[in-house]
Each structure stands twice: as C-alpha cells, then as structure tokens.
C-alpha cells in the first residue's frame, strides 16, 4: 500500500492532489503560494503586504457518495488531522449525507416615516411585479423571485417607531451574491419611496441567510469511536452544548474551525458565514449547539449539522484569488450547493473530533505535541532538530522555550 497522505512530503502531496484534481502545472505551482502583491493592492486599500495562512488538505471525506479532498486554511494545529480522522470514521458507515436548498438571499430595504404603515405594506405587496422587474433589470445572472414586507418596531431606547422592511428574495445561483443583492436593493429604493411615501434608509443584503440552509448528517461506528461508554460521554458533551450557552459557544467554535477553514481556503466571506451561523444557533432565544448528536438503534452515534450558508463558486474572491480558485477545483464542487455541503461536512467532522477528544483524554496532549514544533523553532531549532526537540519537550510535558533551548543545546553537543 502506498504512503498515507500525512506521511508524504509536500512535493508528494502536491503531486497526489494535482493528479486527483487534474490540476494544470500552473495551478499546481501556485497552489498554496501567497497572493501576488499586485492583486492584494487591487483588493483592498492602503495595502502593504500579504497575511498568509497554512493551507492543508483534509482526507477521507465521502459526501453524498463522492470522495472529496477538502482544502482547509487555518493556523491552528490538530484541526486538519482531526477532520480527516472523523471523516474516516464516518466513511465506514457511508460518509456524509447532505442537502442544500436554492441559493435564496434576502435583501432589505428599510422604509421609515410612514404614517399609514399597513397600507404602505399592502401597496408594496400588490406591486411586487413592478419591483421585481426593476430588480431584475440589474442582472442577467441572478434573479429576484419574490418580494415580502414586514413591519418592525424599534426595540431600542431611542423609540424610532415602526418601520417597514421590504425584502427582495433573490436567487443568486452559484454566487454568494452580496453585490447583486445590494445593487438590486439600491435599484428598487426610489420606487419603494414613491409607492409608500416614506423615506428609505438602509438598502443591504441580510447575512442571516435562512432561505439558504444546508444540512449534513453522518453515522459514526460505536467501536471506532471507542465503545458504548464513549458514545454516552459524547452525548453528555452534546447535552451541555445544547443546554448552556457558555459551552455552546465553545462547541460551535469547534464547528467553525471546520467551516471557516474550508470557507477561507475557497475564498468565501467567512465573516458573513460566522454572523449567520451564530444568529441561527440562537434562533429560539437561547444560544445552542449548531450540531445535534444522538444514539442510533444499533448503538452507534449519529450527528447532524444545520446552518445557513451563503457561499459561491463564481464571482467574488473565489474568482480572483488563484489559491482559492485552485482549492475549489481540488474540492471538485460544481455548484454553490455542493460547496455548502462540503463546508457543512467539515463542520460536523470537526465537531465530532473535538467532542470525542474532550470527552476522553482531552485535547491538550495532541495539541501540545504539535505546538511543541513552534516552540522548538522559537528556541532556534532548524531542519531535523525541530522534530527532535519537539518530541523531547512534549514527552517531558515541558513545552516552553527555555526547556526547548536546553534540549537544543544538548542535541547540538
Ligand atoms: C478549539 O479550537 C476548539 C474546541 O475548544 C472545540 C470544543 O471545545 O468543542 C476544542
């Protein structure tokens, strides 16, 4: 049998990924390379450089019957290995099963200073078609499919009164869609003012993409997890995350380790994803776990994640950042839905790995072993010295720079 992915050198890994994903020489050469400064200068203002992150590949992901190499950009040790391990356990029971709905985004137009707010609302709804026509004149690639309108009352101490929120529902297809949604909202604003007699203030998409949900589940074999007791302990971990926001936030941080890492690697707006995910976690008024875990009839562990995910494979950074472009090719997704499902699978896998470790030996042992390599480098270790120093300080349980320096000088002697 050939080497496992994690046993390969970087060159071997790149060659493997290149072959699997059918990358061109140029794509393979630029994969994982920092962005060119010229591109950075075009993307943001006052650019001075590039902030880069490690890019790795999580393996063993079988999603809806398709094997996928999952690119992850993250600075934290253990995450990629943990996702790969959890995906391997899931694979034995058929992998991840996922579904994702249409790419429906909501764009909000806020109308204030309305004396007859209910009449204004009815007028807007009666003239939906007119608004949709204006919105749709702005884009050939995405389409506004509905208009809804809600009355919202200011709940702040300023008491600004009632306002009408006119919402465009837009199918952004394979794009995340922020630009198209914002353009359409701005385009209908004058007509909304004319129809209602009010003043429009905000015209912007909602990052709470509740019409763009993704769901992903998997079954994890009891014995592979460590037996009946382990399954029970994971259910206790879930119980706390479901019932206590202080634990739920940390639990969901683990989920987002997976979600954000794939989102970053593929050039998605991870702040939008984060904001939407956490709002969804608090949808019933209490902040809860984004994942659910339960015991199956056969005593195995089943898990499910559900969250709003506004992601795209066309437009945005995914099209201009060469590494993100190649990462999408490596992941092999052909639609925004497939990308969302892969991201959700990474979140679920990551969560399982974290709570399994926490419910058994804890995460520090593995974490410190990896962190020891950074400490060894900080102490001055180079080349083969890094592993030797890291192993020694991790074995001693003394992962600090002073100890690493002592070990380094004893090795050099
Ligand atoms: C660390 O980055 C993530 C964890 O804290 C997640 C969790 O507690 O479930 C390990």
């Amino acid at each position: 049998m050939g080497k496992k992915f994690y046993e390969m050198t970087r060159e071997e890994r790149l060659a493997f990924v290149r072959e699997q994903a059918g990358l061109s020489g140029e794509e393979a050469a630029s994969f994982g390379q920092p962005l060119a400064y010229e591109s950075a200068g075009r993307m943001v203002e006052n650019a001075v450089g590039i902030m880069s992150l490690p890019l790795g590949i999580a393996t063993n992901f079988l999603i809806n019957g398709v094997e996928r190499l999952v690119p992850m950009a993250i600075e934290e040790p253990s995450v990629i290995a943990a996702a790969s391990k959890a995906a391997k356990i899931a694979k034995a029971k058929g992998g991840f099963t996922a579904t994702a709905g249409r790419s429906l985004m909501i764009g909000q137009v806020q109308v204030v200073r309305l004396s007859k707010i209910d009449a204004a609302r009815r007028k807007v709804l009666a003239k939906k078609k007119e608004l949709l026509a204006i919105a749709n004149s702005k884009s050939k690639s995405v389409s506004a499919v509905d208009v809804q309108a809600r009355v919202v009352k200011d709940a702040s101490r300023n008491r600004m009164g009632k306002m009408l929120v006119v919402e465009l529902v837009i199918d952004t297809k394979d794009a995340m869609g922020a630009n198209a949604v914002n353009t359409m909202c701005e385009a209908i604003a004058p007509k909304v003012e004319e129809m209602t007699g009010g003043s429009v203030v905000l015209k912007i998409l909602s990052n709470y993409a509740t019409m763009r949900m993704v769901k992903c589940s998997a079954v994890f074999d009891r014995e592979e997890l460590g037996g009946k007791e382990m399954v029970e302990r994971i259910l206790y971990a879930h119980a706390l995350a479901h019932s206590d926001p202080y634990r739920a936030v940390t639990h969901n941080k683990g989920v987002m380790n997976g979600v954000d890492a794939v989102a970053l690697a593929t050039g998605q707006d991870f702040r939008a994803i984060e904001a939407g995910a956490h709002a969804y976690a608090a949808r019933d008024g209490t902040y809860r776990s984004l994942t659910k875990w339960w015991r199956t009839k056969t005593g195995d562990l089943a898990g499910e994640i559900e969250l709003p995910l506004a992601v795209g494979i066309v437009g945005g950074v995914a099209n201009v950042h060469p590494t993100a472009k190649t990462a999408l090719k490596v992941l092999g997704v052909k639609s925004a839905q497939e990308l969302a499902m892969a991201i959700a699978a990474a979140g679920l896998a990551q969560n399982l790995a974290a709570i399994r470790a926490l419910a058994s030996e804890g995460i520090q042992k593995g974490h410190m072993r990896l962190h020891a390599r950074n400490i060894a480098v900080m102490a001055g270790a180079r080349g083969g010295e890094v592993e030797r120093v890291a192993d020694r300080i991790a074995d001693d349980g003394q992962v600090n720079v002073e100890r690493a320096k002592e070990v380094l000088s004893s090795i050099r002697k």
Side-chain angles (χ1 to χ4, degrees):
M1 217 178 98
K3 276 187 191 170
K4 300 240 167 51
F5 194 73
Y6 63 82
E7 294 167 337
M8 295 177 187
T9 61
R10 181 186 182 219
E11 285 65 36
E12 289 168 337
R13 286 179 193 148
L14 273 176
F16 178 83
V17 171
R18 182 178 175 183
E19 203 208 302
Q20 294 288 310
L23 301 184
S24 68
E26 199 187 332
E27 283 167 335
S30 71
F31 197 33
Q33 296 297 325
L35 190 68
Y37 175 75
E38 295 71 52
S39 310
R42 278 193 300 271
M43 279 182 194
V44 301
E45 311 70 39
N46 301 356
V48 291
I50 311 291
M51 172 72 196
S52 51
L53 282 175
L55 176 73
I57 305 282
T59 54
N60 306 318
F61 275 81
L62 180 66
I63 308 169
N64 290 342
V66 180
E67 302 244 12
R68 295 194 188 277
L69 293 172
V70 180
M72 299 177 90
I74 189 159
E75 85 297 348
E76 187 172 324
S78 304
V79 170
I80 299 172
S84 307
K85 181 77 210 294
K88 190 173 177 194
I89 302 176
K91 197 175 185 178
K93 293 265 174 192
F96 299 89
T97 305
T99 53
R102 281 169 80 190
S103 306
L104 296 179
M105 293 295 282
I106 295 168
Q108 298 191 302
V109 177
Q110 177 199 24
V111 198
V112 301
R113 301 197 189 113
L114 289 164
S115 51
K116 293 186 178 148
I117 200 159
D118 290 320
R121 180 175 166 274
R122 282 194 296 275
K123 210 180 252 174
V124 163
L125 291 176
K127 296 192 172 178
K128 252 183 204 192
K129 278 199 182 140
E130 224 175 295
L131 293 176
L132 288 175
I134 297 172
N136 283 322
S137 70
K138 292 289 163 190
S139 173
K140 286 197 173 59
S141 53
V142 313
S143 58
V145 294
D146 199 10
V147 176
Q148 46 195 37
R150 296 184 290 124
V151 175
V152 174
K153 192 171 167 206
D154 181 17
S156 80
R157 61 194 293 180
N158 297 325
R159 306 218 171 133
M160 303 299 281
K162 285 184 179 173
M163 51 210 138
L164 182 67
V165 182
V166 178
E167 293 179 331
L168 272 178
V169 179
I170 300 162
D171 186 346
T172 63
K173 317 255 168 77
D174 284 326
M176 187 275 190
N179 275 330
V181 174
N182 294 341
T183 302
M184 287 182 168
C185 288
E186 290 184 9
I188 66 163
K191 192 49 131 192
V192 169
E193 284 190 333
E194 189 190 307
M195 282 176 183
T196 60
S199 310
V200 166
V201 184
L202 304 181
K203 313 164 273 285
I204 186 78
L205 90 164
S206 169
N207 285 125
Y208 195 22
T210 54
M211 297 177 98
R212 207 171 177 176
M213 300 297 296
V214 58
K215 219 182 217 190
C216 177
S217 61
V219 173
F220 298 83
D221 182 79
R222 177 181 62 190
E223 296 315 315
E224 288 291 324
L225 287 173
K228 195 173 160 202
E229 169 70 7
M230 195 63 235
V231 171
E232 178 109 344
R233 291 176 72 85
I234 291 174
L235 295 182
Y236 278 122
H238 170 248
L240 187 58
H242 179 78
S243 316
D244 172 43
Y246 281 85
R247 172 57 202 154
V249 170
T250 322
H251 178 101
N252 288 345
K253 190 274 184 185
V255 171
M256 300 315 279
N257 276 347
V259 168
D260 283 349
V262 184
L264 262 171
T266 57
Q268 307 303 313
D269 181 343
F270 59 94
R271 287 89 55 210
I273 294 174
E274 283 275 345
H278 298 298
Y280 190 69
R283 65 193 176 282
D284 72 2
T286 299
Y287 187 91
R288 299 186 193 282
S289 160
L290 281 166
T291 54
K292 288 193 189 106
W293 295 97
W294 66 95
R295 198 188 279 110
T296 65
K297 283 192 185 121
T298 51
D300 296 317
L301 182 76
E304 182 183 272
I305 183 169
E306 188 181 27
L307 76 167
L309 267 186
V311 294
I313 60 166
V314 296
V317 178
N319 271 24
V320 292
H321 196 302
T323 307
K325 248 181 169 169
T326 309
L328 279 170
K329 192 162 176 187
V330 169
L331 188 57
V333 289
K334 299 280 180 293
S335 65
Q337 280 75 10
E338 284 184 3
L339 173 59
M341 293 188 278
I343 291 176
L348 185 67
Q350 198 54 51
N351 180 227
L352 183 269
I355 55 178
R356 181 191 183 212
L358 291 169
S360 51
E361 61 171 19
I363 57 167
Q364 282 312 88
K365 207 165 139 204
H367 213 77
M368 290 317 269
R369 194 156 282 282
L370 287 163
H371 183 54
R373 291 198 230 155
N374 291 331
I375 299 293
V377 172
M378 281 165 70
R382 297 288 173 267
E385 291 170 347
V386 176
E387 273 323 292
R388 289 179 68 194
V389 172
D391 282 350
R392 279 269 291 282
I393 61 175
D395 288 344
D396 299 350
Q398 288 190 62
V399 183
N400 59 63
V401 179
E402 285 68 40
R403 176 69 189 138
K405 280 186 178 159
E406 283 169 25
V407 172
L408 183 62
S409 63
S410 76
I411 284 175
R412 284 183 178 167
K413 271 182 205 146

